[in-house]
Amino acid sequence: MKLTIASLILGSAAAFQPHTALNAVPKSSSALDMKYTVAVVGGGPSGACAAEIFAQEKNIETVMFERKFDNAKPCGGAIPLCMIGEFDIPETVVDRKVRKMNLISPSGVEVDIGDTLKPNEYIGMCRREIMDKYLRDRAIEYGAQPINGLVTSVDIPANHKQTEEPYTINYMEFTEGSSAGTPKTMDVDVIVGADGANSRVAKCMDAGLYNFAIAFQERIKISDDKMKFYEEMAEMYVGDDVSPDFYGWVFPKYDHVGVGTGTVVNRPAIKQYQKAIRERAGDKIAGGKIIKVEAHPIPEHYRPRRVQGRIALVGDAAGYVTKCSGEGIYFAAKSGRMAAQEIVKLMKSGSVLPTQAEIEKTYLKEYDALYGPTYTVLDLLQKVFYSNNGAREAFVELCNSKYVQQVTFDSYLYKRVQGNNPLDDIKLLGETIGCLVKGYAIAKPDAEFSNPVESKKRI
């Protein structure tokens, strides 16, 4: 069992026992001062929600590493309605309540959606620096120990899957007012990697690589008159000019708009696509001042290995971002909470350590059962409707359908794949085919590009 720092200071090294097989012997009543330590690496939604759960178990020491406590992650900032209640997020965290969405096709056809929303339904728009801080502060209030540090590597014992041998986290600790970090180490028993797409934890545990998109966003301050248009409105532009495989957006924030785009297949041209989305938005953001420029990688699929020994990945580090919509905030928070809840149960009030098999059979199995269908459906939709301008024209036309709007919003707001009415679904299939035929007939050809080297990069 792992001894606390206090017991080492008291000179109880003679009492130190070799690490035994996992879960072999629960802690005895004579070892009440001995606690296992869980390290959560990353303080975004996934890390904060995991740390909050661990911190509520008083027989577990919880530490949360975050390099920038004022970090503003590049992000559209949209969260579904179900997240507001499920994670007890106050309305002060939500900048705007979007109840209307304007979709614009490659040829300029516009479709307004949102008529199917009930009066109390909306998409929440947040600034990540506000929401992330709220979630982190809540975890700290519950007892998580915050460490302003950058984790640089993790030393993983060769026998960590069979024993209780601790992991050693190597990190640079920072103090306020200083840009130079102090190298430090910490021994921990369980690690939750919530450190984003470029996860150091994932690399150290040999989680494998994944393909990724680049998301680029500019925060633009526009006049109050222009901002009125976006009071409850968000815009989504499709076309190979703004992205060859995704969409461009204008999302309202507290006192500005976030204007951005993303791509997987042609990452080197991201600034070209960003210029195009500004041009497509046109007069609606004309004269605006760019107050912040942001860019960040976004995973395109799960990591090959999300659990290794007593190390589990959550959020972007695990690859939990959906295709088609590019949504990741809810799935980050949900995966962090689910992983922590299952690990806490497995640790039996901090008396034993979980095994890899146990974490996989609980956390991974339950997460994949809940959300696997959502990832599959949205992956298919992206391949069908974002592949060329003909399909994009069809996508926008289909969104005229009130049934499509109802199913889309219900699926997004409440995180469940909808299959509401078999007759309507059959009718929708016929409409989809018709819209695709029409779209291909009127659409302009997509611009050609080639980047054979960049397209093979993985992180």
Side-chain angles (χ1 to χ4, degrees):
M1 298 296 180
K2 185 177 84 63
L3 298 178
T4 62
I5 293 175
S7 63
L8 289 175
I9 293 174
L10 291 172
S12 58
F16 184 81
Q17 299 295 322
H19 285 80
T20 56
L22 286 178
N23 296 345
V25 183
K27 289 185 176 181
S28 68
S29 58
S30 63
L32 294 178
D33 62 327
M34 300 161 62
K35 293 184 180 181
Y36 288 118
T37 299
V38 174
V40 178
V41 182
S46 60
C49 290
E52 176 184 341
I53 298 299
F54 286 121
Q56 293 178 69
E57 174 51 67
K58 300 308 179 185
N59 292 318
I60 297 175
E61 295 285 355
T62 305
V63 295
M64 177 173 58
F65 290 88
E66 173 58 46
R67 171 60 186 94
K68 295 180 179 180
F69 283 103
D70 60 349
N71 185 45
K73 181 186 174 183
C75 180
I79 59 174
L81 183 62
C82 65
M83 186 174 178
I84 305 293
E86 185 176 348
F87 290 87
D88 295 320
I89 296 175
E91 290 196 355
T92 53
V93 171
V94 179
D95 285 339
R96 299 280 177 173
K97 296 180 179 180
V98 168
R99 294 184 169 90
K100 298 177 183 178
M101 181 78 75
N102 190 30
L103 307 183
I104 302 96
S105 79
S107 64
V109 174
E110 298 188 17
V111 171
D112 290 330
I113 65 174
D115 291 342
T116 62
L117 288 177
K118 299 180 179 65
N120 63 335
E121 292 182 326
Y122 61 88
I123 299 171
M125 290 291 171
C126 302
R127 287 167 290 167
R128 286 292 300 274
E129 60 269 32
I130 303 298
M131 185 179 70
D132 292 12
K133 183 180 186 303
Y134 173 79
L135 295 173
R136 275 195 303 270
D137 287 349
R138 190 165 66 184
I140 293 168
E141 288 174 4
Y142 275 114
Q145 176 191 348
I147 295 179
N148 186 192
L150 173 66
V151 172
T152 55
S153 65
V154 180
D155 297 336
I156 301 176
N159 60 348
H160 73 115
K161 295 182 181 180
Q162 292 79 37
T163 72
E164 293 187 351
E165 197 73 25
Y167 303 107
T168 300
I169 292 181
N170 304 294
Y171 64 101
M172 299 294 290
E173 186 171 35
F174 297 87
T175 57
E176 188 174 352
S178 175
S179 60
T182 302
K184 292 190 175 183
T185 64
M186 178 184 293
D187 286 349
V188 302
D189 302 291
V190 177
I191 298 176
V192 174
D195 48 341
N198 285 312
S199 172
R200 299 287 181 89
V201 174
K203 289 178 174 63
C204 293
M205 66 180 269
D206 189 29
L209 304 178
Y210 51 31
N211 199 6
F212 65 100
I214 287 294
F216 193 100
Q217 177 174 264
E218 294 167 327
R219 299 194 190 194
I220 301 179
K221 178 81 171 178
I222 57 178
S223 68
D224 291 343
D225 287 342
K226 293 181 184 295
M227 198 69 202
K228 288 179 182 177
F229 174 78
Y230 292 106
E231 185 171 353
E232 292 187 338
M233 171 74 78
E235 291 191 302
M236 175 176 164
Y237 294 80
V238 290
D240 69 314
D241 57 334
V242 297
S243 176
D245 55 339
F246 201 54
Y247 62 87
W249 65 85
V250 181
F251 288 168
K253 306 294 183 181
Y254 174 69
D255 60 354
H256 61 277
V257 290
V259 181
T261 184
T263 180
V264 176
V265 299
N266 198 18
R267 294 188 290 260
I270 188 66
K271 290 187 178 180
Q272 168 191 322
Y273 299 136
Q274 180 65 18
K275 181 175 181 291
I277 182 63
R278 286 200 308 268
E279 292 173 350
R280 288 277 295 272
D283 290 341
K284 285 174 282 190
I285 63 170
K289 178 183 178 181
I290 297 175
I291 57 176
K292 191 176 182 64
V293 178
E294 309 166 314
H296 201 270
I298 298 176
E300 280 294 290
H301 53 80
Y302 288 1
R303 291 273 187 192
R305 293 170 291 280
R306 290 170 283 162
V307 176
Q308 291 275 53
R310 287 165 278 126
I311 308 175
L313 299 177
V314 295
D316 283 14
Y320 296 150
V321 176
T322 61
K323 297 287 189 70
C324 194
S325 65
E327 182 191 3
I329 299 176
Y330 175 81
F331 297 107
K334 186 68 173 181
S335 63
R337 174 176 282 186
M338 287 182 68
Q341 287 173 333
E342 296 305 324
I343 291 172
V344 166
K345 290 178 187 176
L346 293 170
M347 291 181 72
K348 300 177 181 178
S349 297
S351 64
V352 295
L353 288 176
T355 66
Q356 177 174 326
E358 288 174 335
I359 299 173
E360 290 174 337
K361 289 178 181 178
T362 53
Y363 157 49
L364 289 191
K365 184 177 180 180
E366 292 183 20
Y367 185 88
D368 291 349
L370 272 175
Y371 302 113
T374 297
Y375 288 100
T376 299
V377 168
L378 291 176
D379 186 14
L380 177 62
L381 289 176
Q382 178 162 320
K383 290 175 179 175
V384 171
F385 291 112
Y386 289 175
S387 58
N388 58 70
N389 283 332
R392 296 177 191 111
E393 294 285 355
F395 167 71
V396 173
E397 183 174 354
L398 274 172
C399 287
N400 260 319
S401 163
K402 291 296 186 284
Y403 179 65
V404 170
Q405 293 183 30
Q406 181 71 59
V407 170
T408 300
F409 275 116
D410 283 353
S411 297
Y412 176 80
L413 293 178
Y414 303 108
K415 290 294 162 281
R416 52 178 182 259
V417 176
Q418 298 294 315
N420 296 326
N421 187 314
L423 291 178
D424 283 339
D425 288 340
I426 293 173
K427 181 181 177 182
L428 177 60
L429 176 61
E431 292 176 350
T432 301
I433 294 172
C435 288
L436 285 169
V437 171
K438 179 182 176 181
Y440 277 93
I442 66 173
K444 64 177 182 178
D446 285 60
E448 295 184 3
F449 59 86
S450 176
N451 50 21
V453 175
E454 172 65 25
S455 64
K456 293 179 181 179
K457 287 184 180 179
R458 300 293 184 268
I459 57 176

